[in-house]
Amino acid sequence: MSTNSLVDKTATYLDERVAAGKVVKGFARKTFPDHWSFMLGEICLYTFVILVISGTFLTLWYVPSMTLVTYEGPYAPLVGSTISDAYNSTLAISFEIRGGLLMRQIHHWSALLFVAAILAHMARVFVTGAFRKPREFNWVLGATLAVLGLAAGFTGYSLPDDLLSGNGLRIIQGVILSIPVVGTYIQFFLFGGQFPGESIIPRLFISHVMIVPALLIAVIGAHLALVIVHKHTQYPGPGRKNTNVIGYPLYPVYVAKAGGFFFIVFGVVTLISAFVTINPIWNYGAYDPSPISAGTQPDWYIGFVDGALRLTPGAGLEWSLFGYTLAMNVFLPALVIPGLMVTFLFAYPFLEAWVTGDKREHHLLDRPRNAPARTSIGVAALTFYVVLHFAAGADVIATHFELSFNDIIWALRILVIIGPAIAFFVTKRTCLALQRRDRDLALHGVESGRVVRTEDGEYFEVHNELNPYERWTLVQHEVYTPVELAEGSKKSLGQRARAWATRFYFEDRIEPVTPAELEEQHAVHGDGDTPAVGASSGSRAGVGSGQA
């Protein structure tokens, strides 16, 4: 029997029983738009695949036990030391298993890239408005994926049981203890007794290789399924509407592209892992609760929690109430602030839908400049995150630049408050300025470099009119207006709040060019040559109610 005949019979068998032909045919014809920013989501998926492959390799040799043994491996400085089985097996993977160190580094670097790609992908979705109806729940799944990525990173980071990861566990224990009333009990059950106990490594291992990956696979599967159910978003352009998708079919175009891009990502991660050392646990030694390494830093994605802890004043935020100690100087920065950040992340699509009152489906993306309030909120949130991240390395900054640690902390305390406000203001004015520039381009075209003198002796520079395809991108967006409450009517708290929110979002805006304005401009300059903005002829583009 030939290979083709076997394939035909197998395909027929599956098609008759599970309708595989219809599913494959429909899926293969699925159209995807082509833009580089869509690859950020692909990087998330590909790095997760790399994590599964490399993690499976490491699981074969890793021993999740805190039983103490004497090290007798090839790393001479530790020979004769009393270490845990977990640390011993990690050293064995690094020095005794062929390719083990490379695989450890591939796993660690791909984990960092996985979280980075998730956040970059979410930032793209946020500033382009891709979370709007009907994709609100897909945004929630993406935010859940980000939280699970942090959980996977933390549980894996602690498994080697070296001094660095042990100090991280010690910080987590302190955070748990700060939870009012129940913190002590949670810590006791999590660690199986007093810190560090003998149960935490096996429990983290189960979470890292079974529970969290299972949840990640389920969320990724649901996320991709909703991408298929809701047709793919696309950037605005000629011929692109909410009712169509312009792009290439999944098969054969995107199958070939995706396969090639996966190997590019795998190759880059492997190259970095081969030449850039990360987490050299043999330098840190086994975990011992007594010493603390100077200048140690958590993985970048969890650094904002450490930074919040460092910026919070210790004095005045620790109280005693009914026999309980309330360590608000730990509870607020380590649990409340991250909790508020995650809550805002989950709630934003529904918040913006409430502000705009828009119930329509959106499949065309916004240009970030055309949603200045949203873009500014995103940049302000990123600024807040980055300042907290720098605070986590305040001691390293102080030692490397020979600065006062206390001065750095105070400067960052001020910056974490005023920095987001400054970032919001600058970003919003920049977006409005770019909108004004787009409006001028749509009305007057681009500079030609040709200066013309009129019969009256006036001079102006001729602008070449944009073609309709270029102009479409500049004028196609919608502009929302603030809600105006009727005078004298009784307003509820919700109505007042929404009216304030719409003013916050939409009071400053640049109106897009209307067809009437274009016709008027063409009537004045029927020859197709347009004078520059502010020319002596008096022709000038109008603006909306906002001023950039």
Side-chain angles (χ1 to χ4, degrees):
M1 181 182 296
S2 66
T3 303
N4 290 339
S5 177
L6 179 62
V7 171
D8 290 342
K9 288 185 176 182
T10 302
T12 302
Y13 181 88
L14 293 174
D15 192 33
E16 291 174 347
R17 286 158 179 80
V18 297
K22 294 181 180 178
V23 174
V24 173
K25 185 177 181 180
F27 190 64
R29 291 182 176 179
K30 187 74 174 177
T31 302
F32 289 89
D34 199 19
H35 193 272
W36 68 266
S37 65
F38 297 143
M39 293 193 297
L40 295 172
E42 294 183 46
I43 295 175
C44 301
L45 179 61
Y46 300 154
T47 49
F48 179 72
V49 173
I50 297 171
L51 282 169
V52 172
I53 295 172
S54 57
T56 302
F57 177 92
L58 297 175
T59 304
L60 299 176
W61 285 279
Y62 177 74
V63 180
S65 171
M66 299 182 74
T67 303
L68 297 179
V69 298
T70 300
Y71 181 70
E72 297 177 351
Y75 187 65
L78 289 176
V79 171
S81 301
T82 301
I83 59 177
S84 68
D85 259 334
Y87 186 56
N88 186 48
S89 63
T90 308
L91 289 172
I93 292 172
S94 303
F95 295 123
E96 300 177 54
I97 304 300
R98 188 181 298 274
L101 180 57
L102 176 62
M103 199 61 72
R104 267 195 64 228
Q105 302 215 141
I106 288 175
H107 193 71
H108 202 138
W109 276 115
S110 56
L112 299 181
L113 186 58
F114 175 62
V115 180
I118 290 175
L119 298 183
H121 178 59
M122 291 189 71
R124 195 277 301 174
V125 170
F126 183 86
V127 297
T128 59
F131 54 78
R132 293 172 295 174
K133 183 181 179 181
R135 297 176 179 82
E136 300 97 330
F137 290 120
N138 219 8
W139 169 267
V140 171
L141 288 175
T144 304
L145 190 61
V147 174
L148 288 174
L150 297 182
F154 168 73
T155 54
Y157 176 82
S158 304
L159 289 181
D161 199 28
D162 61 300
L163 182 60
L164 187 62
S165 65
N167 286 333
L169 270 179
R170 187 64 160 176
I171 294 173
I172 294 300
Q173 184 231 6
V175 170
I176 294 172
L177 288 174
S178 72
I179 301 174
V181 183
V182 298
T184 305
Y185 301 100
I186 295 175
Q187 186 269 164
F188 181 85
F189 289 119
L190 180 62
F191 288 91
Q194 292 298 320
F195 180 87
E198 296 182 355
S199 304
I200 188 62
I201 293 296
R203 292 174 179 178
L204 289 176
F205 178 74
I206 293 172
S207 300
H208 186 68
V209 304
M210 295 179 62
I211 299 175
V212 177
L215 293 174
L216 281 169
I217 291 171
V219 173
I220 290 173
H223 187 72
L224 294 177
L226 286 180
V227 171
I228 300 300
V229 172
H230 309 138
K231 60 188 179 184
H232 207 293
T233 56
Q234 57 186 344
Y235 285 93
R240 298 178 182 180
K241 302 178 291 186
N242 278 313
T243 55
N244 68 359
V245 179
I246 296 178
Y248 300 97
L250 178 66
Y251 181 83
V253 178
Y254 271 98
V255 169
K257 283 188 174 184
F261 190 46
F262 169 75
F263 287 108
I264 290 174
V265 173
F266 206 152
V268 169
V269 172
T270 304
L271 193 65
I272 295 173
S273 304
F275 289 97
V276 183
T277 300
I278 190 169
N279 199 24
I281 60 167
W282 49 90
N283 286 341
Y284 310 138
Y287 178 63
D288 184 338
S290 56
I292 298 177
S293 298
T296 58
Q297 303 292 299
D299 279 340
W300 70 267
Y301 48 82
I302 207 70
F304 75 100
V305 177
D306 192 6
L309 283 167
R310 296 190 186 203
L311 293 186
T312 303
L317 289 176
E318 187 169 307
W319 314 317
S320 294
L321 186 65
F322 302 115
Y324 292 98
T325 299
L326 303 180
M328 294 294 104
N329 54 347
V330 177
F331 180 71
L332 291 176
L335 291 174
V336 174
I337 290 178
L340 292 175
M341 293 169 66
V342 171
T343 301
F344 176 78
L345 195 66
F346 276 89
Y348 188 83
F350 309 99
L351 175 64
E352 186 172 301
W354 171 72
V355 172
T356 62
D358 191 349
K359 307 297 183 183
R360 299 168 300 167
E361 288 192 4
H362 291 274
H363 303 290
L364 276 180
L365 299 173
D366 286 333
R367 300 174 76 202
R369 68 184 63 181
N370 293 335
R374 180 204 302 148
T375 303
S376 302
I377 290 172
V379 174
L382 181 62
T383 302
F384 181 74
Y385 177 90
V386 170
V387 173
L388 292 182
H389 179 76
F390 274 100
D395 54 338
V396 177
I397 296 173
T399 56
H400 280 62
F401 294 96
E402 298 182 357
L403 300 173
S404 167
F405 175 78
N406 291 329
D407 290 346
I408 293 174
I409 290 296
W410 273 107
L412 291 173
R413 283 174 178 170
I414 297 171
L415 191 60
V416 80
I417 297 173
I418 67 172
I422 295 173
F424 180 91
F425 177 81
V426 171
T427 304
K428 190 169 186 179
R429 307 326 293 180
T430 302
C431 288
L432 292 172
L434 290 172
Q435 285 188 55
R436 186 194 293 269
R437 175 61 176 165
D438 287 348
R439 181 181 174 84
D440 291 341
L441 283 175
L443 278 175
H444 302 290
V446 296
E447 298 175 354
S448 66
R450 184 162 60 96
V451 178
V452 175
R453 180 182 178 183
T454 67
E455 295 178 354
D456 299 329
E458 296 176 319
Y459 291 88
F460 65 86
E461 181 184 7
V462 174
H463 282 198
N464 295 328
E465 183 181 350
L466 297 178
N467 66 56
Y469 298 101
E470 294 173 320
R471 187 188 301 121
W472 171 258
T473 304
L474 306 182
V475 303
Q476 51 74 38
H477 62 283
E478 296 178 298
V479 176
Y480 296 93
T481 56
V483 172
E484 298 293 341
L485 297 178
E487 291 288 340
S489 61
K490 187 176 181 180
K491 296 97 177 175
S492 66
L493 181 61
Q495 290 174 323
R496 292 178 181 273
R498 182 166 179 263
W500 176 86
T502 57
R503 286 196 301 272
F504 175 78
Y505 268 76
F506 309 125
E507 191 168 23
D508 290 337
R509 63 191 186 279
I510 306 297
E511 301 287 350
V513 175
T514 63
E517 288 177 305
L518 282 176
E519 290 179 6
E520 180 184 355
Q521 186 70 16
H522 290 165
V524 174
H525 305 283
D527 57 356
D529 288 340
T530 307
V533 179
S536 59
S537 62
S539 174
R540 178 181 288 273
V543 297
S545 60
Q547 295 297 319

